[in-house]
Amino acid sequence: MRTAIADLRALSAAARKELRVIRRYPALWAGMLFWPVMLPAIYVLQAHAYAGGDARALAAFLSRSGTAQLAGFIFVGWSVYMWLSLSLWGPGTALRQQQVQGQLEAVFLTPASRAAVLFGPVVAYLSLTLWMLLVTGLALRLAFGVTLDAREVGQALVVVLASTPAIYGIGALFSSAVLRLREVNGLVQVVRGLFTVFCGMTYPIVILPQWAQHIAYGLPPTYVIGAFRLVLLSGATLVQVAPDLLILLGSGAVLCLLAALAFHASERYARRGGSLVQF
Amino acid sequence: MSEVRAAIAIARKELRTLRRYPLQSINTVAQPLYQFLIPSVLLGSTFMVAGRAVGFQASAGTADISGFLFLGAFMGGQVGAAFWGSAFAFRLEMMSGTLEPAWLTPTRRETFVVGYLLAWLLVQVLGGVVLLGIGALFFSARFFGAALAALPALLLVEVGLVGVTYLVASAVLLLKEANFFVDSTNFIFSAASGTMFPITVMPALVKVIAFLLPTTYALDILRSQALGTRLLLPGWSEYLALAALGLLALLAGRWTFARAERRLRRSGSLGQY
């Protein structure tokens, strides 16, 4: 019991430290105002170009996507992209940052639980995620007239909760891999690219070829985007998206476990090779 | 002549550094492909009626979505070189403490900017050609032969991009931590040039900005030659607008860079970041 309390305190200290660092970079907050609005807005304009005011093109979109809310469809997809980006650039690179700054060895010398070191940044970045989702919601309402009622927002928050272990599990797993491979930028692009291509951020999964759909349904972000779109744009209830949420919770548990194992393996590798301070 | 040699030497040094990071070079092709082109092509497929882009034909004047987007990505790469070439290089020199010693050499400061741009343009043009090849091979985009006819416009736009590079370099030197500035302005500049969609669908204010960018005209000429889209301005007036705006950007960039340099000399903050 005492160990668990000490671990929780260590986790909270790691999260507070990360929050303090985030607070010192106002450009990060400015980015959180700019990108959640501008990135999807550009794709909304692109979608308008594809529609070209032709009723047949709009009908084709409606039949394939299941919604006529073009802006909402694209904003939801890109908000998950932003969330993944935050997870990869934040918690995903936190260990590597500490390694580059020469703090990782010192942190490992403390009796703090490794789980606190690995998942501490995750807790801190949740605040940025909620801020980003708020900005996205406001942009949808103010610029595109998409209104969301309290029930839809509440359901979306449940989806956020169910998706959090999976999204940050990906970030933590990535963090452990980066510690070993020591290449951040290129790897972030590759992992993010994989999700962007297969998970349906700008398009409905049904238009992918069969083999690509199989890959898409093996990736948790596909279910996050699907569940968000269903509860926010198609009026679905939580019961209707329950299978997606269960898949997300299950994959979240597996990813977090894999991340802990990978972290353990990376640490052992670094200890043996004495590479904790190398970068 | 010595300044040309210096610019080439600076570009070679940059290329040598870039060669040491192969993943970054691969991303020159891969990143636009998976972050912009594939999601955009798939979004376009969602609007197709019986395999034809009827809506896009109405708004862009062509049903060749892939051709339109791949040519846009080619121009987006040039814009990226103008924004990130000097930004990355100056930032790296600042952080490694080599900017001040480099500026103490008899080479003119402006030559550094040109050298950085040369290296990045070379990488982006090569990456762009690979991208166009991928577009032609895997996405049935049709443009190669006809695009050569737009070569004068592509060469002319580089004048304006040198000016843009000077402006970005000034901002990086003054702001010190300019990543967000460079990233966001690069994105807006690229989008406003029409890389992702025809400017006919832009809001009125963005349309005004688009008409002030030399890249808008270069891309318009390129698409007109390759895809047969209608030009924004009639005949040679498009070339005139491209040349005039490019020259204006170059003059504004040189003037701003000179002011930024003088300010840094006075404040003695060149070595700070």
Side-chain angles (χ1 to χ4, degrees), chain A residues 49-50 64 81 189 202 207, chain B residues 34-35 40 42-43 46 48 59:
Chain A
Y50 290 141
R64 288 175 182 134
Y81 170 89
Q189 303 296 354
T202 56
I207 64 157
Chain B
Y34 57 64
Q35 216 156 52
S40 294
L42 289 169
L43 178 61
T46 317
M48 280 191 174
S59 63

Side-chain angles (χ1 to χ4, degrees), chain B residues 20-40:
Chain B
R20 303 257 162 90
Y21 297 90
L23 206 54
Q24 196 173 328
S25 304
I26 293 169
N27 269 329
T28 308
V29 174
Q31 199 178 336
L33 201 61
Y34 57 64
Q35 216 156 52
F36 151 56
L37 287 166
I38 295 177
S40 294

Side-chain angles (χ1 to χ4, degrees), chain A residues 33-44 75 139, chain B residues 184 187-188 191 206:
Chain A
L33 275 176
F34 180 85
W35 292 113
V37 179
M38 288 307 293
L39 190 62
I42 291 295
Y43 280 86
V44 171
F75 265 77
Chain B
S184 52
F187 180 75
I188 292 171
V206 187

Side-chain angles (χ1 to χ4, degrees), chain B residues 248-270:
Chain B
L248 201 66
L250 182 64
L251 292 174
R254 287 291 296 265
W255 182 80
T256 313
F257 188 73
R259 300 266 304 179
E261 191 206 346
R262 202 169 59 195
R263 191 164 161 180
L264 286 170
R265 277 169 182 269
R266 281 188 184 158
S267 62
S269 59
L270 189 61

Side-chain angles (χ1 to χ4, degrees), chain B:
Chain B
M1 195 61 201
S2 61
E3 291 300 318
V4 174
R5 280 178 53 209
I8 292 171
I10 293 162
R12 280 177 53 204
K13 177 218 134 206
E14 277 300 298
L15 287 172
R16 191 171 295 168
T17 311
L18 283 172
R19 219 176 46 207
R20 303 257 162 90
Y21 297 90
L23 206 54
Q24 196 173 328
S25 304
I26 293 169
N27 269 329
T28 308
V29 174
Q31 199 178 336
L33 201 61
Y34 57 64
Q35 216 156 52
F36 151 56
L37 287 166
I38 295 177
S40 294
V41 169
L42 289 169
L43 178 61
S45 309
T46 317
F47 289 88
M48 280 191 174
V49 179
R52 252 191 83 70
V54 286
F56 197 62
Q57 173 75 56
S59 63
T62 174
D64 185 358
I65 290 180
S66 302
F68 187 92
L69 290 172
F70 274 84
L71 290 172
F74 182 80
M75 185 54 67
Q78 315 283 300
V79 173
F83 274 83
W84 283 110
S86 63
F88 259 141
F90 274 126
R91 182 86 185 123
L92 206 63
E93 301 263 22
M94 274 178 178
M95 288 176 76
S96 44
T98 49
L99 187 61
E100 223 167 358
W103 280 31
L104 286 173
T105 61
T107 305
R108 290 170 63 178
R109 323 286 184 256
E110 291 87 345
T111 309
F112 285 94
V113 179
V114 175
Y116 298 146
L117 178 65
L118 267 181
W120 279 73
L121 267 182
L122 187 70
V123 172
Q124 288 295 344
V125 167
L126 287 176
V129 170
V130 174
L131 264 184
L132 293 182
I134 292 171
L137 271 177
F138 300 104
F139 293 86
S140 318
R142 307 174 295 274
F143 38 58
F144 257 127
L148 286 175
L151 210 57
L154 292 178
L155 291 174
L156 210 51
V157 77
E158 303 305 338
V159 177
L161 288 179
V162 174
V164 171
T165 308
Y166 278 123
L167 288 170
V168 176
S170 314
V172 172
L173 289 171
L174 293 175
L175 293 173
K176 315 288 184 198
E177 176 55 68
N179 271 13
F180 172 65
F181 169 79
V182 178
D183 210 8
S184 52
T185 46
N186 175 31
F187 180 75
I188 292 171
F189 194 103
S190 189
S193 303
T195 53
M196 298 174 74
F197 43 77
I199 71 167
T200 48
V201 298
M202 289 178 189
L205 181 67
V206 187
K207 231 181 246 179
V208 173
I209 297 171
F211 277 112
L212 292 173
L213 305 176
T215 39
T216 304
Y217 300 102
L219 184 55
D220 193 44
I221 292 168
L222 182 61
R223 280 180 179 145
S224 167
Q225 294 288 351
L227 308 172
T229 53
R230 208 173 48 235
L231 285 172
L232 291 168
L233 299 177
W236 283 96
S237 50
E238 191 124 352
Y239 271 98
L240 274 178
L242 170 58
L245 288 168
L247 194 64
L248 201 66
L250 182 64
L251 292 174
R254 287 291 296 265
W255 182 80
T256 313
F257 188 73
R259 300 266 304 179
E261 191 206 346
R262 202 169 59 195
R263 191 164 161 180
L264 286 170
R265 277 169 182 269
R266 281 188 184 158
S267 62
S269 59
L270 189 61
Q272 296 169 3
Y273 67 91

